[in-house]
Amino acid sequence: MLRREPFLCKLIFFLFCFASLSLADELTDSDRLEFTANASISNTSLSKPKEGSSFADMIDKALEKEFTENDQNEATDAGSFNNSVAEQQAVLETVARVKSKKNDTKEEKSFKFHDVFNLDNENGPEDTPTLIDRKDNVFIISNFKSKYPVLQLDLRLISDLVVVIVSATCGGIAFACAGQPVITGYLLAGSIIGPGGFNFVSEMVQVETVAQFGVIFLLFALGLEFSTAKLRVVRAVAVVGGLLEIVLFMFLCGITAMLCGGKSSEGVFVGAFLSMSSTAVVLKFLMEKNSINALHGQVTIGTLILQDCAVGLLFALLPVLCGTSGALQGLMSMTKVLVSLIAFLAVLSILSRTWVPWFLKLMMSLSSQTNELYQLASVAFCLLVAWSSDKLGLSLELGSFAAGVMISTTDLAQHTLEQIEPIRNFFAAFFLASIGMLIHVHFLWSHVDILLASVILVIIIKTAIITTVVKGFGYNNKTALLVGMSLAQIGEFAFVLLSRASNLHLVEGKLYLLLLGTTALSLVTTTLLFKLIPAVMHLGVLLRWFPPDSAVEVGSKGDGFRSDSGKQRISVLVEGPHDS
């Protein structure tokens, strides 16, 4: 140890001299004179150095010359305040900036349960400020402008994600222990923590945006399991029948509105609104019942995919209904959507035969040791196709389903499904909890009589119309009724349509609240409706609507997402050929 100390001292002295020589190159002649003068000061003077004459001050001067103010200031941002006002015709508006108050005095406060989820604490980091405009819209500041690049952290969003995930887990566990579908637990957990409950979630837009990944991965996994051969069998009823159902709803509701003295445009919108069914919720139930490959499951899924494709057309129709655009402009907009859809599917069909198999085999060869890269590539492929679909004016859901169908034509479809399933399960539960946050329990309870009557009426009408349409394509009574009951709810896309129609002033006031409450209660009662299907099938056998050999056997073995893995199987004998 004694021999190493001289060596270390020499090494440190050498490094110090090298740093001094490097720093000398950055100093001017006056700086060198000042440095020489400082070096000749006696030890007494060094114990009391003058301000600005220390070695650290000279380092600061060198750094200031190396990193100028031009390097510290960012380039002019095209989205800055002045540019937005001058070039993008932004409107100046008064907003209130709200920041959390830090108590200077340590006063004891009474405990409140809501404070557990509040991030405004004295010992934590500074909370993210919010802006409130004159219409009480709350905006979260997401991009701080600072002199230097800093790591930004939105603690509100982290807290909200934790609350949603934990509450969904607790709700699912509680309902699974009670022998009920876990979907109900997710929806109920979301309603409890949402604005209509204890209001634990503050950044609703951010949480609901993250939750949309649930729908994307649900439909991606559906595409992986979907059989194009079986889709060809039901394409007539799925495409033509699905369009016919939408047109029938719009026509009947429009005629009803005219006969009742209302606006025909509102009636047509209500018909389009009611024709939407919940892709995510119905798909989850079909997976739990292992009914995806059943005849009625194929018809149901084909109809749901057609509805997802029709969302873009319905969005183009809304400005025509509210009178903001002419019929010719609306027709051109719908034609544009149809052309984009055909071109998009044609390109994907070519890629699925050429590029996709090569790409998957390459990822498989690179992932010989671990599946991490293959899993990441599968997720990226799904998101890229979904994003492209959205950019073309179609929907994210259509793109994610198409991405799954592209991979289903290869030999790696089952392997991809195994890699995606954990991600799908997580985001699907997250999405259903976010749908529950749209449900205001107090509002539903206050108007439960009129809303419950509306939901029952919607279920009866939708079941009757869809059953009639499916029956018209030659399917037997049992298959037609199963499809009708499976699609009898109002889907989550209805929230999007309703929001867009409200912005266009197509529906306002009491009608908006009625449709909103009916949709929310419809999603809640969907689990009960699916539980009634075996009883309705048995009643149909007793009333001789169906032959005795078509009875439906349902035996629950737990909730889960897998349909073909064999881990959790629920026997549903639904072999239903066309009536001869």
Side-chain angles (χ1 to χ4, degrees), residues 88-368:
Q88 302 181 18
Q89 298 180 353
V91 179
L92 294 177
E93 182 178 343
T94 302
V95 297
R97 181 185 176 103
V98 181
K99 295 185 66 176
S100 59
K101 295 182 179 180
K102 305 297 182 180
N103 296 327
D104 297 334
T105 59
K106 296 183 179 180
E107 298 180 358
E108 294 184 359
K109 298 187 298 182
S110 59
F111 175 77
K112 294 181 179 180
F113 184 71
H114 190 276
D115 292 339
V116 176
F117 301 93
N118 191 359
L119 294 177
D120 299 338
N121 55 76
E122 297 178 357
N123 298 324
E126 185 178 0
D127 197 10
T128 306
T130 59
L131 301 178
I132 304 177
D133 64 6
R134 281 184 277 183
K135 294 183 179 180
D136 292 334
N137 296 314
V138 180
F139 303 91
I140 307 295
I141 297 180
S142 61
N143 187 16
F144 284 101
K145 292 295 182 182
S146 60
K147 192 173 182 180
Y148 305 102
V150 294
L151 181 63
Q152 300 177 7
L153 185 64
D154 189 354
L155 293 179
R156 272 202 195 96
L157 180 58
I158 295 177
S159 175
D160 291 342
L161 295 179
V162 171
V163 169
V164 174
I165 294 171
V166 172
S167 61
T169 303
C170 295
I173 292 175
F175 275 74
C177 293
Q180 301 298 317
V182 293
I183 293 181
T184 310
Y186 299 152
L187 292 172
L188 184 60
S191 65
I192 292 175
I193 64 175
F198 291 100
N199 197 22
F200 290 151
V201 178
S202 57
E203 297 188 5
M204 287 290 295
V205 176
Q206 287 82 348
V207 171
E208 291 172 2
T209 301
V210 175
Q212 288 302 313
F213 286 103
V215 184
I216 292 175
F217 289 118
L218 267 174
L219 287 169
F220 180 55
L222 172 63
L224 291 171
E225 294 180 311
F226 207 73
S227 171
T228 54
K230 293 183 179 181
L231 178 60
R232 296 190 187 99
V233 176
V234 300
R235 61 185 174 185
V237 65
V239 178
V240 181
L243 289 175
L244 183 60
E245 292 164 14
I246 297 175
V247 173
L248 279 176
F249 273 107
M250 295 169 65
F251 176 76
L252 293 176
C253 292
I255 293 296
T256 304
M258 291 180 60
L259 295 177
C260 296
K263 297 179 181 180
S264 59
S265 59
E266 288 187 354
V268 172
F269 167 75
V270 171
F273 176 85
L274 296 179
S275 65
M276 295 289 102
S277 299
S278 177
T279 303
V281 175
V282 174
L283 177 59
K284 177 68 166 61
F285 272 106
L286 291 177
M287 287 181 174
E288 287 185 349
K289 303 301 180 185
N290 200 22
S291 302
I292 288 182
N293 294 319
L295 181 59
H296 83 276
Q298 294 290 308
V299 176
T300 301
I301 292 173
T303 305
L304 289 171
I305 297 302
L306 184 277
Q307 290 181 1
D308 292 339
C309 296
V311 169
L313 299 176
L314 294 177
F315 272 119
L317 182 63
L318 289 182
V320 180
L321 293 177
C322 67
T324 57
S325 63
L328 180 60
Q329 185 178 355
L331 181 61
M332 292 178 61
S333 180
M334 296 177 69
T335 304
K336 179 182 177 182
V337 173
L338 282 175
V339 172
S340 300
L341 174 62
I342 295 173
F344 179 68
L345 295 179
V347 171
L348 294 187
S349 178
I350 296 174
L351 291 177
S352 64
R353 292 182 174 88
T354 56
W355 180 77
V356 172
W358 171 83
F359 174 73
L360 293 179
K361 290 179 180 178
L362 176 63
M363 292 298 102
M364 197 69 182
S365 62
L366 295 176
S367 306
S368 57

Side-chain angles (χ1 to χ4, degrees), residues 398-418:
L398 173 63
S400 57
F401 175 77
V405 173
M406 292 173 69
I407 298 180
S408 69
T409 59
T410 67
D411 298 333
L412 295 172
Q414 184 61 34
H415 178 70
T416 306
L417 179 62
E418 294 174 355

Side-chain angles (χ1 to χ4, degrees), residues 469-487:
V469 171
V470 176
K471 177 66 178 175
F473 281 83
Y475 291 85
N476 58 34
N477 294 333
K478 183 202 67 177
T479 301
L481 185 59
L482 281 172
V483 175
M485 294 187 69
S486 299
L487 299 175

